[in-house]
Amino acid sequence: MIRPKPRTVGHREMNFNRLHILWLIVFLLFVALILRLSWVQLGGGEKFQKLAKENNYKQIPVVAPRGRIYDTDGKLLVGNESLFAAIYLETDDKPEAKLKTAKNLARALDMPVKKVLEKMDVGLDVKGKTVPRKQPPYYPKKIKDRLTEEEVVELSEHPSDYKGVNVFLEPIRDYREDTFAVQTIGYVRPFAGAKASLEKYKKAQKEPDDDGYLDWEQVGMDGVEYSFQDELRGHHGYKVVRVNSTGKPVEVIKEVNPRPGNDLVLTLDKKMQLETEEFIEQQLQWLRTQAPGRHRAPYARNAYAVAMEVKTGKIRTMVSYPDYDPNIWNGAVTAKDYEHLTYTIRNGTIREAPYDARYADNPGKEYQRHPLSVLPPGSTFKPMMSLMALNEGLIGPHTLFRDPGTYYYAPATPPVRNSGNHNYGVMNVEKAIQKSANTFFAWTGSRWYRKEGKKSVGQFKDYTHQFGLGVPTEVPLKGEQDGTEDYLSIADHFSPMGAMVLGSFGQAQRYTVMQLAQYTATLANEGKRMKPVLAEAVKTHEGKTVKTFKPKVLNRSKIDPRHFQTVKSGMVKVTQPGGTASRLFQDLPFKVAAKTGTSEQDIPGRGRVENSVFIAFAPADDPKIAVAVVVPEGGYGGIAAGPIAEKMIRLYYREFMEK
């Protein structure tokens, strides 16, 4: 019997290698299949864009909804509404036929033919002459949005009259009708206009990516709509369709759904914000028409207020009054609309906003006769001056000053007087804060200059910057101003001593209300300056948190901590019997530290006006909320601005402390 020869090791190795080669071939085929599928899903867009250039294929973008905006409790502030829009997909018709379509559209949509042709961008003018195009022929063009029901029916039922025109749904920003924090939230406009005015969008146009902006896409122009544009913007989808001879889609070749933008949760509290806005409107009306005697303020039409948490920097209320309805931006804005917006659109809590001159016979001339929103802090600066004087050793907590009633800081200079020409007798720093004695602080300012010379001006500036005065607060909003330090110019060109004296009681410097709020919170926080926070979190459309915003300490002051208690004690006395705000905060279950201010300002052609300023924090022994209010031409701080500050603190107590 002949036995078969046993297989050698070489044979086994050969079979094993063949098996490896077979598996490698299968693996490579599998990889090739995956790559092909990926190209179809991801890279196929280039193919379809090429097809779209052919007359019978069109790539139609599907605009992604912007993210929604909520208040701190999850109440919807800004949403989206889906409305019909007319989109033009250019056909291969002759120029005469395109011109006829434009004229038909002009009649149906109540638009000038010239405007329709500009929107269609077919390279023709109203006379049929050739003009330059703005975009390639295969790009879809939006003719009009917010179509009426009648317009939708007309375009849909008579396709032969409107060749290439299709009706699609697209998201439009939907704002509240109660104008909630309108300047803080901001507004949106089409990218086509934004790219001509804002650097952010100019750059986006020059460096397009795979998810480039559409000309008719709504983008943030101001407020949080602008600051959080990248979070709120969604990712567009698209459809590749085959169209017939009239430009109507007959087959969808490929469809990619849009992805909505992320939602934004703000720190603003709906109830605090709305009730403060309502109270301010009532307070201004009372000042103009019902306030008694010398407290009547006939020009009090504007007010600015901020409530900021001391330990977190969260902004709970932010009012710039008057306001306006941001839904105006979703339609055509007339010349008259723009004129009114001039006096309402700017956020006066962070930058200069004009007097509300809308009702004057000559608004453009009238607003120049009134102060803007960035004002001298007046006597609200005196706690700051007290801290600097204590820290520099110019005074101690028990240093006594005998009030002369009229204080001359240098020969041949105008004297400094107290409000109402009062003489407060012998006082220390706490009483000086309580009574708001200009003479006391002018005395400390002149002592500082005599001790340090012009060097004192630089020291003065360094201290104020540590509290957010004269520097940006870093609130996440476009266009924040850092105030005006006029005392520096006075020191350089006139008198350093005069600069120190004027600065000591809140003159020769101007700050925003946001700066005053941050300064007040830093006082309450014993020198720890917090960054203002406007957003709590960013969430997906489904509610998953993707980003949170934590408190941030910007800097710590160089003031000795023991001096803060002296100043806080003086501020508490402001709200007690004998203080300049003794009628406020009386039935709250805690003490409030405050400071009134009546800042004077010289207006060309009118003379000197008095602005009402007020700051406060509470509870005094464990501060949680700091507020700042300015009422231009409101008069005394405790009369015009004080009640608004009181309202905000009461609302904060109700919404955040009683719960």
Side-chain angles (χ1 to χ4, degrees), residues 296-312:
R296 185 74 56 88
Y299 297 110
R301 291 190 174 275
N302 298 58
Y304 310 95
V306 172
M308 175 179 176
E309 284 190 348
V310 171
K311 295 179 174 62
T312 66

Side-chain angles (χ1 to χ4, degrees), residues 107-118:
R107 286 192 296 270
L109 302 180
D110 191 24
M111 296 172 63
V113 177
K114 180 181 178 182
K115 188 70 173 178
V116 172
L117 283 168
E118 289 175 358

Side-chain angles (χ1 to χ4, degrees), residues 380-392:
T380 61
F381 185 80
K382 289 171 181 173
M384 181 77 246
M385 187 63 194
S386 300
L387 285 173
M388 295 189 292
L390 288 164
N391 206 59
E392 287 294 315

Side-chain angles (χ1 to χ4, degrees), residues 279-566:
F279 184 83
I280 283 176
E281 186 172 11
Q282 295 171 353
Q283 176 72 353
L284 293 177
Q285 177 73 15
W286 177 82
L287 286 168
R288 292 195 305 270
T289 62
Q290 300 175 33
R294 61 192 179 95
H295 299 310
R296 185 74 56 88
Y299 297 110
R301 291 190 174 275
N302 298 58
Y304 310 95
V306 172
M308 175 179 176
E309 284 190 348
V310 171
K311 295 179 174 62
T312 66
K314 292 180 179 180
I315 304 299
R316 296 304 187 186
T317 307
M318 192 172 180
V319 181
S320 180
Y321 187 90
D323 50 30
Y324 70 98
D325 181 3
N327 287 298
I328 192 174
W329 297 110
N330 284 331
V333 183
T334 67
K336 187 174 182 181
D337 292 331
Y338 274 115
E339 182 181 348
H340 279 202
L341 286 168
T342 299
Y343 304 103
T344 59
I345 193 172
R346 295 183 197 171
N347 190 336
T349 65
I350 64 167
R351 59 178 179 260
E352 287 185 336
Y355 174 76
D356 182 12
R358 289 175 295 171
Y359 309 104
D361 293 334
N362 188 339
K365 184 177 180 180
E366 180 64 22
Y367 95 88
Q368 299 179 36
R369 300 177 63 247
H370 303 271
L372 303 176
S373 58
V374 181
L375 303 169
S379 295
T380 61
F381 185 80
K382 289 171 181 173
M384 181 77 246
M385 187 63 194
S386 300
L387 285 173
M388 295 189 292
L390 288 164
N391 206 59
E392 287 294 315
L394 303 171
I395 59 172
H398 307 294
T399 299
L400 298 178
F401 170 76
R402 185 177 296 277
D403 189 359
T406 300
Y407 178 71
Y408 291 88
Y409 59 91
T413 58
V416 175
R417 294 185 174 89
N418 296 319
S419 177
N421 292 319
H422 286 294
N423 186 315
Y424 297 112
V426 177
M427 57 185 153
N428 60 12
V429 64
E430 289 185 18
K431 185 177 178 182
I433 294 173
Q434 179 191 31
K435 297 297 185 180
S436 200
N438 293 337
T439 53
F440 179 92
F441 294 99
W443 171 66
T444 59
S446 63
R447 292 192 76 188
W448 197 348
Y449 175 77
R450 290 189 175 97
K451 177 184 177 184
E452 300 288 351
K454 192 175 180 180
K455 181 181 176 183
S456 60
V457 178
Q459 295 169 333
F460 182 100
K461 181 187 74 171
D462 291 342
Y463 276 122
T464 58
H465 286 192
Q466 294 167 30
F467 283 71
L469 300 175
V471 293
T473 66
E474 298 191 25
V475 63
L477 292 173
K478 177 171 70 73
E480 182 190 13
Q481 295 176 338
D482 57 8
T484 304
E485 296 168 308
D486 301 312
Y487 63 86
L488 295 176
S489 178
I490 293 172
D492 287 338
H493 299 98
F494 299 102
S495 165
M497 176 179 279
M500 291 297 292
V501 169
L502 286 172
S504 70
F505 53 94
Q507 296 300 126
Q509 53 197 307
R510 288 171 284 167
Y511 304 121
T512 68
V513 181
M514 181 60 71
Q515 287 177 306
L516 292 178
Q518 188 182 59
Y519 149 62
T520 307
T522 308
L523 283 173
N525 219 7
E526 299 191 348
K528 186 190 296 184
R529 184 166 74 104
M530 305 299 296
K531 178 180 178 178
V533 179
L534 267 174
E536 300 265 13
V538 175
K539 298 185 177 183
T540 65
H541 194 72
E542 294 74 29
K544 180 182 177 181
T545 300
V546 296
K547 184 178 181 180
T548 57
F549 299 87
K550 297 181 180 179
K552 179 181 179 181
V553 180
L554 296 178
N555 64 265
R556 299 172 188 270
S557 79
K558 298 177 182 178
I559 302 288
D560 189 323
R562 61 195 172 95
H563 298 315
F564 284 94
Q565 191 52 52
T566 300

